[in-house]
Amino acid sequence: MRDPAKILVKKEELTLQGITQFYVDVRQANWKFGTICDLYKTISVTQCLIFCNKKEDVEDIAKQMLEKDFVVYKMHGETEPREREQIIRMFRKGKARVLITTDLLSRGIDVGDIRLVINYDLPQKKESYIHRIGRSGRFGIKPVAINFVTEEDFSILKDIQTFYSTQIEEMPGNIADYL
């Protein structure tokens, strides 16, 4: 870019307004996969982003979900640029409905029908939280963010709530009513 405009937004001006946020106490990291499978049996998803912190987790979760006949796509920093572009194009058109990714996709993608963002892993930097769940709720859609939280993650969840002055409630049993 030539002479780009730089826009700085103060933390106080960042907003999660309009995004319904929940957490699921999964206790242990190895219970996350069973939890996501149970969740998908309960809800109908138009489009969803699932964020992981590591590419190995993206690969592993995608493999396990595909083995259980879930239709998912995956993308991370080592995904070839041509494949990455194709996946994003399919996701924008609604042909790819569930995308498992790292923070690679937490900024810069506008997709109109993302109703659900799942933080399979809480972000390593609390500043990334708004970029992840901010992928939802565009174009008048009422978004939901679900955060999987292990016993060790509760302090991170508390930090996120404090940092953004927001409340993240435990996910209710009637989650389908929110989507």
Side-chain angles (χ1 to χ4, degrees), residues 56-74:
E56 295 83 10
D57 292 339
V58 169
E59 291 287 341
D60 186 49
I61 296 160
K63 181 180 182 233
Q64 289 181 67
M65 290 185 84
L66 288 166
E67 287 171 355
K68 292 194 172 280
D69 295 325
F70 290 104
V71 179
V72 298
Y73 293 82
K74 62 182 166 110

Side-chain angles (χ1 to χ4, degrees), residues 1-5:
M1 291 175 57
R2 293 183 187 119
D3 300 320

Side-chain angles (χ1 to χ4, degrees), residues 22-23 38 50 55 76-77 103 121 138 179:
F22 297 114
Y23 73 88
D38 291 345
I50 301 171
K55 73 171 181 71
H76 49 70
D103 279 341
D121 300 314
R138 309 281 173 106
L179 296 167

Side-chain angles (χ1 to χ4, degrees), residues 13-125:
E13 296 175 26
L14 297 174
T15 181
L16 297 172
Q17 188 175 7
I19 301 174
T20 304
Q21 303 168 74
F22 297 114
Y23 73 88
V24 177
D25 180 358
V26 295
R27 304 234 187 252
Q28 303 173 39
N30 61 346
W31 292 1
K32 289 180 182 182
F33 185 74
T35 303
I36 205 162
C37 290
D38 291 345
L39 186 60
Y40 271 81
K41 290 175 189 171
T42 308
I43 61 175
S44 174
V45 176
T46 351
Q47 279 197 295
C48 172
L49 282 170
I50 301 171
F51 283 101
C52 299
N53 288 338
K54 297 185 278 182
K55 73 171 181 71
E56 295 83 10
D57 292 339
V58 169
E59 291 287 341
D60 186 49
I61 296 160
K63 181 180 182 233
Q64 289 181 67
M65 290 185 84
L66 288 166
E67 287 171 355
K68 292 194 172 280
D69 295 325
F70 290 104
V71 179
V72 298
Y73 293 82
K74 62 182 166 110
M75 190 168 61
H76 49 70
E78 291 184 18
T79 305
E80 293 293 325
R82 179 173 273 162
E83 183 182 358
R84 195 182 301 177
E85 290 170 18
Q86 180 182 8
I87 291 169
I88 290 173
R89 194 170 29 256
M90 288 173 45
F91 198 67
R92 280 192 174 121
K93 291 180 179 179
K95 293 178 181 174
R97 293 181 20 191
V98 178
L99 180 55
I100 305 168
T101 187
T102 58
D103 279 341
L104 168 77
L105 204 63
S106 68
R107 297 178 188 230
I109 182 172
D110 287 319
V111 177
D113 201 21
I114 300 176
R115 293 181 185 272
L116 179 61
V117 172
I118 297 174
N119 281 315
Y120 196 87
D121 300 314
L122 287 177
Q124 294 171 331
K125 297 177 185 172

